[in-house]
Amino acid sequence: MKTVISSLESTVESLVRLAGAVFKLSVGLGSICVVIYALRVNHFPQGVSLGDGLLFLLAAACFGAVYALFVGCLLSLGICLSFIVRPLLRGIFWLWGKITRADVRPGYELAGFNWFALPFALFAVLLVLDLGREDVTLYWGLPLLSVGLYLFYSAARDAGVRFRHGERLLASAIAMPEKDVFRRSGEVNKYKNVQLMGIAVVALLPLFLSGAFGYLLEGAMRMAQVRIEAPAIYVKAPYATLLPEALASRHPRVPEGYTAYIGTTVLFKGFGNMTVVAFPDANGTRQLAIPNEQIIVERQSGG
């Protein structure tokens, strides 16, 4: 009984440490991405208060959550495609072995199909279909990326199993030839490095190669209420005179001293003392930074 309780406590502690590490990684990565978003919209907030700092952490956590879900769904899609990938790779290795007349085998075992991944894989398919409407290259780019994530995940998973086996073997008090071989070869450290590298690649590769980074970033900013699509805004003079009259709304209830506008996008709101608004104009799209006390942003139910 004590052994079971000790094992359970060890498992819980490991899960808590893992959750803490994942949270720190997501917030850290999200913080970088919030800064990147600020640079994308050409506005870096000024006059940031303590409350704004908390909102910054919220936005960072939102991106971390969105990105973690995105990576998890793509990886799950790759796992579900394993029934195609595994025979295909075996055939490629077999053919290459015939050509080179050598025994060619993959260095690490590929992970098998897991039913737990199926719901996330179905969500990944919906993501691909939705993002593909914005960029048709994502229709084939994201499935290929999911296969790449699956390969790196498989290597990290198998290396992790071998690393834990090697650690147990080296910690054993029983002398055996395999233990000496492990100690001299240094394979335990090699497996540990492969595991860490595989995890890092799975975590970071979609950030650079998915082609969907901008859409994920905007989605996370919408979730954190930093970016608001198609709101109704109420602007005081003199800033009201800088917006096109064509966007002026005949809203029956407009606060005194304000002018109502629709058809705009709030690019940046919540950090600092300025709200950044983008709107169409004759020459394309213009962008205007308005002091917070000069603007009211109303989120529309349909936006």
Side-chain angles (χ1 to χ4, degrees):
M1 185 65 180
K2 290 182 179 179
T3 305
V4 174
I5 294 176
S6 176
S7 176
L8 183 60
E9 289 178 349
S10 177
T11 302
V12 171
E13 288 177 1
S14 298
L15 290 175
V16 169
R17 286 197 299 267
L18 178 62
V22 170
F23 177 77
K24 290 177 182 177
L25 176 63
S26 64
V27 171
L29 184 61
S31 299
I32 295 172
C33 292
V34 170
V35 174
I36 293 175
Y37 178 77
L39 296 176
R40 278 169 64 95
V41 300
N42 296 316
H43 172 76
F44 203 82
Q46 298 178 349
V48 178
S49 65
L50 178 60
D52 294 334
L54 295 176
L55 182 58
F56 180 88
L57 290 178
L58 173 63
C62 283
F63 180 82
V66 169
Y67 183 70
L69 178 63
F70 179 70
V71 173
C73 290
L74 285 185
L75 177 57
S76 298
L77 179 59
I79 292 173
C80 290
L81 292 175
S82 61
F83 72 94
I84 298 175
V85 176
R86 295 177 75 186
L88 180 61
L89 285 179
R90 280 198 295 265
I92 292 174
F93 278 107
W94 177 84
L95 181 60
W96 184 251
K98 288 295 184 181
I99 295 174
T100 60
R101 296 182 179 180
D103 186 15
V104 182
R105 296 181 181 181
Y108 296 93
E109 182 181 352
L110 295 178
F113 174 79
N114 191 322
W115 285 102
F116 180 73
L118 186 58
F120 297 97
L122 294 176
F123 190 68
V125 172
L126 296 178
L127 279 176
V128 171
L129 294 176
D130 184 54
L131 294 173
R133 291 184 298 179
E134 303 289 340
D135 183 355
V136 293
T137 62
L138 297 179
Y139 282 134
W140 56 267
L142 291 180
L144 286 179
L145 176 61
S146 70
V147 172
L149 293 178
Y150 162 71
L151 296 178
F152 282 105
Y153 161 77
S154 297
R157 179 176 177 271
D158 192 34
V161 171
R162 299 185 190 187
F163 169 66
R164 288 189 293 273
H165 170 71
E167 273 199 324
R168 288 193 297 268
L169 193 63
L170 293 177
S172 174
I174 302 174
M176 59 185 71
E178 187 182 4
K179 182 177 179 181
D180 295 332
V181 171
F182 260 104
R183 183 179 289 110
R184 288 195 302 268
S185 66
E187 285 190 339
V188 173
N189 288 331
K190 169 192 169 185
Y191 293 143
K192 181 180 180 181
N193 293 334
V194 170
Q195 182 187 27
L196 293 176
M197 184 186 71
I199 293 173
V201 171
V202 170
L204 298 177
L205 191 63
L207 194 63
F208 302 102
L209 295 184
S210 69
F213 174 73
Y215 305 115
L216 294 176
L217 195 55
E218 291 179 2
M221 294 304 103
R222 284 194 294 269
M223 182 186 298
Q225 299 296 303
V226 173
R227 180 187 179 99
I228 303 176
E229 304 283 349
I233 63 172
Y234 306 90
V235 185
K236 281 185 177 181
Y239 294 93
T241 61
L242 299 176
L243 279 81
E245 291 185 7
L247 299 180
S249 171
R250 301 296 182 263
H251 198 287
R253 300 180 63 183
V254 178
E256 185 178 354
Y258 289 83
T259 303
Y261 294 92
I262 57 174
T264 66
T265 300
V266 174
L267 298 180
F268 210 101
K269 176 182 180 294
F271 306 163
N273 50 22
M274 304 290 281
T275 297
V276 180
V277 178
F279 49 90
D281 205 358
N283 298 323
T285 301
R286 288 173 54 200
Q287 188 171 305
L288 181 64
I290 304 173
N292 292 338
E293 63 272 12
Q294 301 287 102
I295 182 172
I296 299 173
V297 179
E298 178 185 5
R299 183 182 178 87
Q300 303 281 56
S301 60

